[in-house]
Amino acid sequence: MPLPFLTADRAFDTADDVALPFDDRDRWRRPYRPGPWRVGAAAIWLLLASYVLFAAVVIALTGTPAEGGVVFGVALVMIAVALRMLRMGVWVSTRGLRQVGFFRTRTMSWDRVAAVRTVQQPVRWLGLPRAVQGQALTLVRDGRAAGDLPPLLTTHNADFLARIEAFDRAADAVEAWAAEYGRG
């Protein structure tokens, strides 16, 4: 029984001049993949949320529905935390640059960006207070000092810890977006 979807020699029915669906540059996109530390932490949160959801069902069946509802609400908060952790990072589009944090999102249009550059400096290890020597992708705004904003990306955050090549590719991609759509 042939399985044509598993073979590499089948003909594709796409034309070469058709734009790919992800090629819409007006949509916000992350120019890199989330790192294993971020994905692993979110997976653990989702695993714990599944246990809490199961506990909510057991509590709702054996106890009062109000108690089950409270535990269900805790599970929903855990799922929201996991999804927000996956959403964190730097996003770009033709309109500007967006830095999504856990509690706060900063969006800046390209005309307000003076420069995006990679610098060698002490960076926080996985967002903890401990600082180590590393590289950071920094954003310089018009009329502001170079160090007034937190770094966009670092070599020791949850996306790039122990992945120097991935950091270099992501920094180059963000710098390319800044060069193409920025004023410089």
Side-chain angles (χ1 to χ4, degrees), residues 109-134:
S109 63
W110 288 118
D111 58 351
R112 294 182 57 203
V113 174
V116 176
R117 57 178 77 108
T118 304
V119 295
Q120 192 83 9
Q121 69 180 30
V123 295
R124 292 172 41 173
W125 185 78
L126 288 177
L128 299 172
R130 179 176 179 232
V132 295
Q133 191 64 25

Side-chain angles (χ1 to χ4, degrees), residues 33-149:
R33 291 184 177 164
W37 286 91
R38 184 175 310 282
V39 172
I44 289 172
W45 274 96
L46 289 173
L47 180 67
L48 292 174
S50 69
Y51 288 120
V52 174
L53 281 172
F54 182 71
V57 170
V58 169
I59 290 172
L61 292 175
T62 60
T64 64
E67 292 171 345
V70 169
V71 176
F72 182 73
V74 169
L76 289 180
V77 168
M78 292 174 75
I79 292 170
V81 165
L83 293 178
R84 188 63 180 182
M85 285 174 60
L86 289 174
R87 183 101 172 120
M88 290 170 54
V90 174
W91 297 73
V92 292
S93 80
T94 57
R95 294 175 292 211
L97 183 132
R98 179 175 286 173
Q99 186 176 15
V100 178
F102 191 77
F103 293 112
R104 186 170 156 176
T105 299
R106 292 184 188 106
T107 303
M108 185 169 310
S109 63
W110 288 118
D111 58 351
R112 294 182 57 203
V113 174
V116 176
R117 57 178 77 108
T118 304
V119 295
Q120 192 83 9
Q121 69 180 30
V123 295
R124 292 172 41 173
W125 185 78
L126 288 177
L128 299 172
R130 179 176 179 232
V132 295
Q133 191 64 25
Q135 292 182 6
L137 183 70
T138 59
L139 173 77
V140 180
R141 294 188 338 187
D142 283 337
R144 299 280 177 106
D148 69 339
L149 290 174

